[in-house]
Amino acid sequence: MTNRIALITGATSGIGKATARLLANTNFKLILCGRRKDRLQKLAAELAPITSVHTLSFDVRNQQETATQIAALPDAWKEIDVLVNNAGNAHGLDPIQTGSIDDWDAMLDINVKGLLYVTKAVLPVMVQRNRGHIVNIGSIAGKEVYANGNVYCASKFAVDALTRGMRIDLNAHGIKVTGIHPGMVETEFSLVRFKGNADKAKSVYNGFDALQGSDIAELILFAITRPAHVVVADLVVLPTAQASATVVRRT
Ligand code: NDP
Ligand code: 8X3
């Protein structure tokens, strides 16, 4: 199938950016989303010779802005076939008793409510067409709770629950829903979690081969290119050196 339209949130970095690059090379037209306009423009310029690209810059925490920007898509971009709900991050890694309220708000507002706001804005056209595919990026942190992961884990457990709930509610409309739950992927994720501390962020991936954004992009591509009668419901993917959220073999 060619020339389907995919909207990717969090396309300015990591998994989202790698997915944009892979989908551009496999005949998808792309709506790239993120807050950092300079990065969106740079990626759009890179991919423009390969496919049609449209960019939207909004903060997924802002429901009004999210709804307005998606509703205002030009006609040629309105019929979104694939939504990749990828935008999100961890903010902090603290015990519950000393956790920051601002960090908690950020994780719940972005990872959970933001995903809902984008989905709410994209769904009407999918429901009207009785077709579409939503891919939610969860995490191993949405399958297992680990020390100091508390609110981030809760946000990703919520993504898992929403993925299952969406699959049930959208079943009548033939809309596919996939959950992809990665372990440790080397992106800007840890830089954000540790508030710009590059040494601390780098140490997370020391001594083993972490997943790369491109590994997750390949799974997304696999899921969205199955035949019409097949839905990949739930995928957990880890680096080979990782056996659970907390067991990692390092050299
Ligand atoms: P990155 O930090 O590299 O990318 C995060 C992306 O999310 C950026 O493009 C950022 O864009 C976007 N984003 C963050 N906050 C907002 C916001 N408020 N509004 C709009 N966009 C936002 O991390 P990853 O690529 O690793 O993370 C992508 C997803 O994968 C997340 O949901 C994360 O939880 C999940 N994940 C990551 C794992 C890992 O180990 N890296 C493992 C399992 C899951 P911008 O700042 O420009 O808005
Ligand atoms: C990101 C993976 O293990 O840091 O979701 O929570 S982890």
Side-chain angles (χ1 to χ4, degrees):
M1 223 183 302
T2 57
N3 287 322
R4 287 190 292 162
I5 298 175
L7 183 150
I8 304 168
T9 66
T12 56
S13 175
I15 294 169
K17 189 175 182 180
T19 303
R21 285 183 168 141
L22 186 60
L23 297 198
N25 280 293
T26 42
N27 290 323
F28 282 86
K29 299 198 285 187
L30 299 176
I31 302 170
L32 304 178
C33 307
R35 289 167 300 180
R36 287 169 286 186
K37 285 187 183 161
D38 52 333
R39 289 194 182 200
L40 284 175
Q41 279 160 10
K42 203 170 160 205
L43 186 59
E46 175 192 321
L47 301 181
I50 309 170
T51 191
S52 304
V53 182
H54 190 84
T55 60
L56 294 180
S57 176
F58 59 88
D59 186 327
V60 297
R61 284 174 289 197
N62 186 329
Q63 191 270 330
Q64 196 59 52
E65 198 188 4
T66 301
T68 303
Q69 291 228 24
I70 292 173
L73 279 167
D75 284 348
W77 289 97
K78 278 195 193 302
E79 294 193 340
I80 294 165
D81 298 287
V82 176
L83 164 61
V84 182
N85 272 321
N86 164 75
N89 277 114
H91 293 266
L93 183 68
D94 301 297
I96 198 76
Q97 60 274 26
T98 55
S100 144
I101 300 270
D102 286 346
D103 285 346
W104 295 354
D105 284 344
M107 290 186 276
L108 296 172
D109 289 347
I110 298 167
N111 302 356
V112 184
K113 291 168 70 182
L115 178 146
L116 283 169
Y117 296 159
V118 174
T119 306
K120 179 82 173 167
V122 168
L123 266 178
V125 177
M126 284 190 178
V127 166
Q128 188 190 14
R129 297 171 76 211
N130 282 314
R131 61 185 286 187
H133 195 154
I134 299 174
V135 179
N136 291 331
I137 305 302
S139 171
I140 187 68
K143 301 286 188 181
E144 292 175 42
V145 176
Y146 54 84
N148 305 328
N150 45 66
V151 177
Y152 179 65
C153 294
S155 76
K156 291 299 183 176
F157 269 71
V159 171
D160 192 22
L162 289 170
T163 302
R164 297 189 225 176
M166 285 179 193
R167 194 177 309 112
I168 295 166
D169 294 347
L170 298 171
N171 175 268
H173 293 284
I175 296 170
K176 297 187 187 189
V177 183
T178 297
I180 297 183
H181 306 275
M184 295 162 90
V185 191
E186 196 166 2
T187 61
E188 293 176 16
F189 176 86
S190 291
L191 198 61
V192 174
R193 169 169 255 175
F194 297 121
K195 304 184 190 309
N197 184 331
D199 290 338
K200 207 167 169 184
K202 199 167 183 316
S203 72
V204 172
Y205 310 106
N206 276 349
F208 74 104
D209 284 333
L211 294 170
Q212 302 299 310
S214 55
D215 295 314
I216 310 306
E218 284 182 13
L219 293 175
I220 293 170
L221 177 64
F222 178 80
I224 64 177
T225 52
R226 292 311 84 210
H229 68 289
V230 178
V231 62
V232 177
D234 201 51
L235 275 177
V236 177
V237 55
L238 305 172
T240 303
Q242 184 175 13
S244 75
T246 50
V247 176
V248 182
R249 177 173 36 86
R250 297 178 196 258
T251 54

